[in-house]
Amino acid sequence: MLHPDETEAQFEQRWWELMNLMRERFGKKPDMNALLLLIGVQELGQGAGPFTKEQKQDLMHIATCKIFSYSGFYELDNVDEEGWPHYRLVRPVPFANLKEQERMLKWHVLEYFDAQENEE
């Protein structure tokens, strides 16, 4: 998944720039799970924790739903009394091989951080 006028090299450049930004901000390059956890914490909006292992899994699920909402796969359904967002599946995420899954996740993560930057 690329922006309509984006080359593969430009996509990889955007990913490299995001990884460098995260390395500067947190002192190390995050893996995909760390990025999803960060997005989940941001979406929850209650600070950095501490979170239980189960809550961390829930935060990563929130992140996955949030980023896939950019492509219309999920939409926010409600926020519960504790402030946790709940999403509903609008349409199934298409099956992809591991390389395609990684690329799809990267693209959606980039979209998330682009959107965050545009909100500031």
Side-chain angles (χ1 to χ4, degrees):
M1 300 181 85
L2 298 170
H3 285 130
D5 57 348
E6 184 176 51
T7 67
E8 183 69 29
Q10 290 168 323
F11 174 83
E12 291 301 328
Q13 177 68 26
R14 285 198 309 138
W15 184 253
W16 182 82
E17 288 170 1
L18 177 62
M19 291 300 96
N20 280 339
L21 178 66
M22 294 296 128
R23 185 181 296 120
E24 288 173 15
R25 193 171 290 170
F26 300 107
K28 63 181 180 178
K29 179 183 168 189
D31 62 13
M32 186 60 73
N33 287 340
L35 284 171
L36 291 174
L37 184 61
L38 173 64
I39 291 169
V41 169
Q42 281 187 207
E43 288 304 302
L44 181 60
Q46 297 180 4
F51 297 106
T52 65
K53 184 177 180 178
E54 184 177 311
Q55 287 173 321
K56 288 178 182 178
Q57 290 174 335
D58 291 344
L59 287 165
M60 291 171 64
H61 177 72
I62 289 168
T64 303
C65 292
K66 173 63 180 180
I67 65 175
F68 278 97
S69 73
Y70 291 120
S71 294
F73 295 109
Y74 288 88
E75 69 181 19
L76 183 62
D77 190 33
N78 65 64
V79 177
D80 68 23
E81 62 280 349
E82 295 176 1
W84 286 72
H86 295 272
Y87 287 81
R88 70 178 184 84
L89 183 66
V90 175
R91 60 187 173 97
V93 178
F95 175 79
N97 65 38
L98 284 177
K99 185 176 181 180
E100 291 167 339
Q101 286 176 7
E102 179 184 23
R103 179 163 182 66
M104 199 189 240
L105 275 171
K106 283 181 175 181
W107 184 86
H108 283 91
V109 167
L110 286 168
E111 290 300 296
Y112 178 83
F113 284 103
D114 285 351
Q116 297 301 304
E117 191 175 288
N118 291 333
E119 287 180 10
E120 293 176 357

